Amino acid sequence: MVEDLCRRNQATARSDVPDELFGLYAELIDREMPEELARDLVDRVRVATPRHELANTEGLRSRVARLVEGEIAVAPPIQVTPGRCRVAALIGPTGVGKTTTIAKLAANFRLREKWNVGLITVDTYRIAAVEQLRTYAEIIDLPMQVVSTPREMREAVDHMSQLDLILVD
């Protein structure tokens, strides 16, 4: 029964995706891309690619990569204005590296740029998240606050307003 279901599922996927692009589609699915997004990308590549280039697997991968890159918004570099506190927050799903990235940014801005940096975390759900950031804060010698409500966030930002930069995890 499972084999039959897999065959039907593969037949359905195959019917929506041209044979020349099915390998690319399967690769995207294997990399845990949602099926709808994988189909959309493959369809956009199909429309934009001349028929004689559909056999060029590397070229197709490059086109998909450029499409994905075009969908990702990138913030400009963090700039600090003397006398004005800047707040920057990293947001995203669990496990993508926000806390580690904030620690690296904090270390860079504190140690290389000599900015006064503070840390605020709202990640009170992930096990050991607060302790991880607190350890980084102690190593780099930065103030850190843990908040769990909007009111606490306002108070923490007000408390650190004399700093050059506040990084929020």
Side-chain angles (χ1 to χ4, degrees):
M1 190 165 67
V2 170
E3 287 175 356
D4 183 48
L5 183 60
C6 288
R7 271 193 301 276
R8 275 192 271 149
N9 190 28
Q10 189 174 29
T12 301
R14 205 174 261 288
S15 69
D16 292 348
V17 177
D19 287 342
E20 303 91 349
L21 297 170
F22 188 76
L24 180 62
Y25 170 79
E27 189 176 323
L28 294 172
I29 296 299
D30 286 345
R31 294 177 187 254
E32 299 183 12
M33 182 174 284
E35 284 185 39
E36 187 176 315
L37 179 57
R39 286 176 207 258
D40 178 58
L41 288 170
V42 167
D43 189 51
R44 289 167 59 189
V45 166
R46 181 188 54 77
V47 168
T49 305
R51 189 129 186 96
H52 68 278
E53 291 182 24
L54 289 176
N56 179 354
T57 306
E58 286 306 311
L60 295 174
R61 281 191 190 115
S62 293
R63 287 176 188 262
V64 167
R66 284 193 304 273
L67 286 172
V68 171
E69 287 171 358
E71 296 294 322
I72 298 172
V74 177
I78 297 172
Q79 298 293 324
V80 170
T81 305
R84 183 170 174 239
C85 181
R86 177 77 176 220
V87 179
L90 270 64
I91 58 172
T94 303
V96 297
K98 295 179 300 297
T99 303
T100 302
T101 301
I102 280 185
K104 289 177 180 182
L105 289 170
N108 179 67
F109 291 137
R110 177 75 181 116
L111 302 173
R112 287 192 180 153
E113 305 294 329
K114 306 295 187 219
W115 295 351
N116 292 316
V117 180
L119 304 175
I120 298 175
T121 184
V122 297
D123 189 359
T124 57
Y125 299 103
R126 188 172 57 88
I127 296 172
V130 171
E131 287 309 311
Q132 180 184 6
L133 196 61
R134 183 169 283 130
T135 300
Y136 289 138
E138 288 173 5
I139 290 169
I140 308 168
D141 192 28
L142 303 176
M144 182 194 136
Q145 293 205 347
V146 180
V147 302
S148 57
T149 68
R151 187 177 121 269
E152 289 176 354
M153 176 63 79
R154 282 190 297 277
E155 290 171 357
V157 170
D158 286 346
H159 180 74
M160 294 185 186
S161 64
Q162 79 287 356
L163 301 175
D164 299 315
L165 176 65
I166 301 170
L167 296 171
V168 180
D169 182 16

